[in-house]
Amino acid sequence: MMHYQCVGIGVGPSNLSLASLLHNHADVSNIFIDKKPKFSWHDGMRFPEANLQVAIFKDLVTLADPTSSFSFISYLHSQGKIYHFLNAQFESVPRREFSNYLEWACEKNDNIHFAEEVERVGFNGVFTIETTRRRIMADNLSVGVGIEPKIPPFARHCTDGTSFHVANFIPNASKCDDKRIVVVGGGQSGAEAVLALICENHGHAPRQVCWISSRDNFLPLDNSCFTNDYFTPSHSDYFFEQSPQNKAKFVQRNILASDGISERLLRQIYQRIYTLRFIDASPPDVALMPDRVVVQSAHDGLQWKLVVDHRATGTREIVSADIVIWATGFRPARMDFLAPILSRLERHNDEFLIDDDFAAVWDGPPGRCIFVLNAARSQRGLADPNLSLTAWRSQRIIDRLRGLRNAGIVQIPSFITWAGTSAAQERRAV
């Protein structure tokens, strides 16, 4: 069996970042495995107008190693289109362009393997990984299997393709022509689906689009300077030290810092509705229904009936539709391959408990780590599933693998004093 210092399970942006930064570290043998036949990243939501909600430098590597050949800038340069990208003056990076960049990074790295599924992980001094192709050993694991769609339990029974998660929008888009569509969910994905449904499509359009959100309104992403400090290493470490109660309250209060709708997208939707209603006078008819919660759904063989509670008034409404699109978020994907060692890992609610280097807390020996990526939002805060700290998190893991800490340039702390200052510290500062 081949023996590696680190084996990555899953190749999404999180593990791809780690693989890219490890590429120049010959002292850390590694391999990354994914069951997909080739790289893909939210292919079912490749909306033409979708853009990233993060800055251009928040790619796989730049914020940890600006000289890396796996940066987004290196990708543009290697394709001969860096000047064209600059001249295009995009407000933010198109999501389809970023997906192409991620695929390019996979193709550059011989340590990444697709069409190979990890079936079982055992441990006997070292990790033994059984895949559909082979059996390998590892000193450490990096688990980055990504996310899966989250749909309310009462909506999971549909099998005829008239009710589906927004993650599967593109394959089902052709079904929406001349239909009554309901989109449930007031975040960025729901907004992208609404815009795609109401935009000009060569005479093909739904008859009606209804957009339901549990929020008070269709609210914008809080992208202000001080709010963006939540997506820095110093705040991530500060958040990690807080009590579980404080963490939960913070995430709830500041949800729009990560799950609001970009202002550009809101403006596009509003302008398109104006055009449909006052200029074109053409379908689809658009109904906007915020401050409502869908509590039940049923299909009578002809149409959907959604039972909707209005939060402010307490009234109950019935919304009819031919197709329901659930933009109700995601959750960490299942990790059934860890079943043989699952009882040895500590839990934190629905998450694996992690330490400050993103390693799962378990009863194994020191130096045998299971790093858990993009699956600890309640412990690490809003930034954990976000691209903003992906490169920093990867570098933190690499330092742990190499027995180092803060080996690179130490970043200047935030302008904001997050932690409380004790009286003794104040006296020393004076």
Side-chain angles (χ1 to χ4, degrees):
M1 290 188 293
M2 294 294 293
H3 190 147
Y4 299 90
Q5 188 170 344
C6 181
V7 169
I9 303 174
V11 182
S14 296
N15 256 342
L16 182 53
S17 168
L18 181 60
S20 299
L21 286 168
L22 277 173
H23 195 261
N24 290 332
H25 289 289
D27 57 322
V28 182
S29 58
N30 63 90
I31 187 173
F32 290 79
I33 298 167
D34 196 293
K35 65 182 180 181
K36 298 188 296 288
K38 62 178 183 177
F39 178 80
S40 63
W41 184 59
H42 298 313
D43 284 1
M45 298 192 300
R46 288 172 68 98
F47 301 105
E49 297 296 324
N51 294 286
L52 294 187
Q53 290 184 300
V54 297
I56 187 174
F57 293 138
K58 295 181 176 181
D59 59 14
L60 297 173
V61 296
T62 296
L63 294 183
D65 180 8
T67 66
S68 171
S69 63
F70 286 86
S71 70
F72 182 71
I73 298 298
S74 294
Y75 156 73
L76 293 174
H77 179 70
S78 72
Q79 304 296 300
K81 59 183 180 182
I82 190 166
Y83 287 101
H84 305 80
F85 182 87
L86 292 173
N87 290 341
Q89 299 182 13
F90 292 109
E91 291 183 21
S92 56
V93 179
R95 191 184 296 164
R96 290 188 295 173
E97 177 78 289
F98 198 76
S99 180
N100 292 340
Y101 155 64
L102 298 177
E103 186 175 5
W104 167 85
C106 288
E107 293 171 352
K108 273 172 57 77
N109 195 333
D110 293 335
N111 293 333
I112 293 175
H113 298 260
F114 290 100
E116 182 174 2
E117 182 175 3
V118 173
E119 297 180 323
R120 183 181 182 277
V121 173
F123 185 80
N124 184 18
V126 295
F127 295 103
T128 56
I129 301 101
E130 297 179 12
T131 80
T132 49
R133 291 186 177 183
R134 51 186 158 173
R135 195 164 180 253
I136 56 181
M137 294 187 297
D139 296 329
N140 304 276
L141 300 178
S142 176
V143 182
V145 293
I147 53 180
E148 62 185 16
K150 183 174 64 177
I151 295 178
F154 57 77
R156 297 175 189 167
H157 60 278
C158 177
T159 58
D160 66 354
T162 59
S163 174
F164 52 87
H165 193 272
V166 70
N168 299 310
F169 180 92
I170 297 301
N172 289 285
S174 61
K175 301 175 182 177
C176 298
D177 192 21
D178 198 35
K179 296 291 195 303
R180 296 167 301 163
I181 314 297
V182 172
V183 177
V184 181
Q188 180 78 1
S189 297
E192 289 170 346
V194 169
L195 182 63
L197 288 166
I198 66 177
C199 274
E200 187 72 35
N201 192 21
H202 307 292
H204 297 278
R207 191 186 331 152
Q208 182 185 72
V209 175
C210 176
W211 188 13
I212 299 175
S213 173
S214 61
R215 294 173 182 167
D216 295 337
N217 202 344
F218 300 100
L219 300 173
L221 179 76
D222 185 351
N223 194 32
S224 58
C225 300
F226 289 107
T227 297
N228 277 332
D229 227 84
Y230 298 157
F231 302 91
T232 59
S234 59
H235 187 270
S236 180
D237 284 338
Y238 162 75
F239 184 93
F240 184 71
E241 298 298 330
Q242 303 307 301
S243 69
Q245 295 79 10
N246 285 343
K247 290 177 180 178
K249 291 176 182 177
F250 178 90
V251 169
Q252 184 63 33
R253 288 196 309 268
N254 295 279
I255 192 65
L256 292 177
S258 67
D259 197 30
I261 305 168
S262 64
E263 289 197 27
R264 176 176 177 268
L265 178 55
L266 286 172
R267 193 178 308 114
Q268 287 177 297
I269 292 172
Y270 198 99
Q271 290 174 351
R272 182 59 184 160
I273 294 173
Y274 180 97
T275 300
L276 289 170
R277 185 166 298 185
F278 300 129
I279 300 176
D280 293 343
S282 65
D285 176 50
V286 181
L288 303 176
M289 301 178 66
D291 203 24
R292 291 164 170 87
V293 179
V294 179
V295 296
Q296 193 55 263
S297 65
H299 195 268
D300 62 9
L302 297 174
Q303 63 180 352
W304 286 96
K305 296 283 188 180
L306 302 186
V307 180
V308 181
D309 284 351
H310 193 289
R311 296 195 309 166
T313 64
T315 56
R316 176 157 286 187
E317 301 166 292
I318 303 296
V319 177
S320 300
D322 301 310
I323 294 176
V324 182
I325 301 172
W326 300 94
T328 43
F330 297 84
R331 60 187 170 206
R334 294 175 61 89
M335 305 180 193
D336 294 339
F337 50 83
L338 291 178
I341 59 173
L342 199 59
S343 62
R344 305 181 64 177
L345 280 70
E346 294 188 31
R347 305 285 297 189
H348 174 80
N349 297 326
D350 295 330
E351 300 174 352
F352 292 116
L353 185 66
I354 61 170
D355 65 18
D356 60 351
D357 287 332
F358 301 90
V361 178
W362 75 309
D363 65 1
R368 298 292 183 263
C369 297
I370 306 168
F371 298 103
V372 182
L373 312 186
N374 191 16
R377 178 167 143 163
S378 71
Q379 300 173 73
R380 270 291 178 177
L382 298 165
D384 189 66
N386 189 282
L387 289 170
S388 296
L389 292 182
T390 300
W392 168 77
R393 179 177 58 200
S394 296
Q395 188 60 55
R396 188 104 157 208
I397 292 170
I398 292 171
D399 289 348
R400 175 80 165 261
L401 291 171
R402 303 180 71 212
L404 305 171
R405 191 64 183 267
N406 296 325
I409 297 173
V410 177
Q411 296 298 320
I412 297 171
S414 168
F415 294 160
I416 302 170
T417 304
W418 291 113
T421 304
S422 68
Q425 289 174 315
E426 288 180 356
R427 283 194 297 272
R428 285 198 298 271
V430 172

